Amino acid sequence: MGEFDRIIEFAIRTDVELYTAMPTGWRKITGSMTAPRGSTWIYNGKSYFSGQRKTALLVEKECLK
């Protein structure tokens, strides 16, 4: 099983959105160590305390080849 397949499996199992390109206004979560290899956690730029924050996984380009 390849890295991309493992990322998809992780996203399905944990009910997380998966992106292949960074959405406008979103940012990487620095210091996060729980993303599967070949992906990065991202968030929509909203404060954690606002109640509007959303997180997702961004697949790195090397995994898409």
Side-chain angles (χ1 to χ4, degrees), residues 17-40:
E17 289 186 48
L18 193 61
Y19 292 97
T20 55
M22 181 74 84
T24 304
W26 287 57
R27 301 177 184 153
K28 289 185 178 181
I29 299 176
T30 56
S32 174
M33 298 173 60
T34 59
R37 187 183 324 191
S39 66
T40 304

Side-chain angles (χ1 to χ4, degrees), residues 1-18:
M1 181 182 295
E3 283 185 5
F4 187 63
D5 294 330
R6 289 179 208 192
I7 295 168
I8 292 172
E9 182 180 305
F10 177 84
I12 292 169
R13 188 175 64 242
T14 58
D15 194 28
V16 173
E17 289 186 48
L18 193 61

Side-chain angles (χ1 to χ4, degrees), residues 35-56:
R37 187 183 324 191
S39 66
T40 304
W41 284 108
I42 58 174
Y43 72 105
N44 63 350
K46 304 287 183 177
S47 168
Y48 180 78
F49 301 104
S50 71
Q52 299 174 355
R53 183 175 173 130
K54 295 181 182 178
T55 58

